[in-house]
Amino acid sequence: MQKKNIKGYIALFLGLASIVLILVACFVPMTKLTGFGLGGKVSFYGTANVIMIVGAIVCAIAAIVLGAMSQKDADKKGPRKSGVVIGILCTIIGILASLIIGLFSTMTEFINNEGQSGVIADLIKDNKDVKKAMDDAIKALQKGADVEETGLPGYNESEESSSAASEGSSDKTEASTNSAG
């Protein structure tokens, strides 16, 4: 009777666990949004999702290592390459998913802190386009939660467009004054 390739089986199961963790992390938002009047009615991606995707990457790397170690046991019966193949695919997918989930997690941090802190709060201070995009995203989340659509506090889209229009008209006035003189 041939011995079983235990390392190959463990690599295969770690690869499959990595797949499950990636799917759950990507398709199950786990953090309640409490800021901007949402009151926990909507869930989005947060720290739990980030931890799951990191766990998936760790499992995938362990599957690669154990799968490679099982290649040396050619005399034993069981999987050898499947753990390595699944591990490599899950590592690549996990790294890409971690970037996206990390971005969504910063948005959750921004919303739950009422826009007072976080990476996005620093970005919208200087960039009107990002501020408008965040205002639209928050209004869409508020609409989905059936709460009042207030958007970002202190942000008024008509003020932004009127200040841009007044800047454009003052530039035209300066240009006509310069060409006349």
Side-chain angles (χ1 to χ4, degrees):
M1 181 173 175
Q2 246 183 347
K3 291 185 178 180
K4 294 193 182 217
N5 187 356
I6 302 297
K7 292 175 191 168
Y9 282 112
I10 293 172
L12 177 62
F13 290 132
L14 283 171
L16 294 174
S18 180
I19 290 172
V20 170
L21 286 171
I22 288 172
L23 290 174
V24 170
C26 290
F27 296 109
V28 181
M30 297 182 188
T31 304
K32 300 276 185 196
L33 297 178
T34 57
F36 296 116
L38 293 169
K41 294 180 181 178
V42 179
S43 292
F44 205 60
Y45 299 92
T47 306
N49 297 89
V50 172
I51 290 170
M52 291 186 89
I53 202 71
V54 169
I57 294 170
V58 169
C59 285
I61 291 171
I64 294 169
V65 170
L66 286 171
M69 289 172 58
S70 75
Q71 299 280 343
K72 297 177 185 176
D73 299 329
D75 60 331
K76 294 181 181 176
K77 182 180 178 185
R80 286 182 186 76
K81 294 181 183 178
S82 58
V84 174
V85 171
I86 293 172
I88 290 170
L89 290 173
C90 287
T91 301
I92 293 168
I93 293 169
I95 290 170
L96 294 173
S98 70
L99 296 173
I100 295 167
I101 290 173
L103 176 67
F104 289 157
S105 179
T106 59
M107 188 168 170
T108 299
E109 175 192 14
F110 175 77
I111 291 171
N112 286 345
N113 291 324
E114 296 279 340
Q116 300 301 313
S117 64
V119 176
I120 296 177
D122 293 337
L123 281 175
I124 66 170
K125 288 179 186 174
D126 302 328
N127 194 332
K128 293 178 184 177
D129 294 332
V130 176
K131 194 171 197 175
K132 181 180 178 351
M134 280 307 298
D135 184 62
D136 293 342
I138 290 169
K139 284 181 180 176
L141 286 169
Q142 289 171 333
K143 183 178 181 180
D146 288 330
V147 297
E148 182 183 359
E149 293 180 41
T150 59
L152 288 173
Y155 176 77
N156 190 346
E157 191 174 339
S158 61
E159 288 177 11
E160 294 288 333
S161 60
S162 66
S163 65
S166 65
E167 287 175 12
S169 65
S170 65
D171 291 341
K172 289 178 185 175
T173 307
E174 289 175 19
S176 63
T177 306
N178 291 339
S179 64

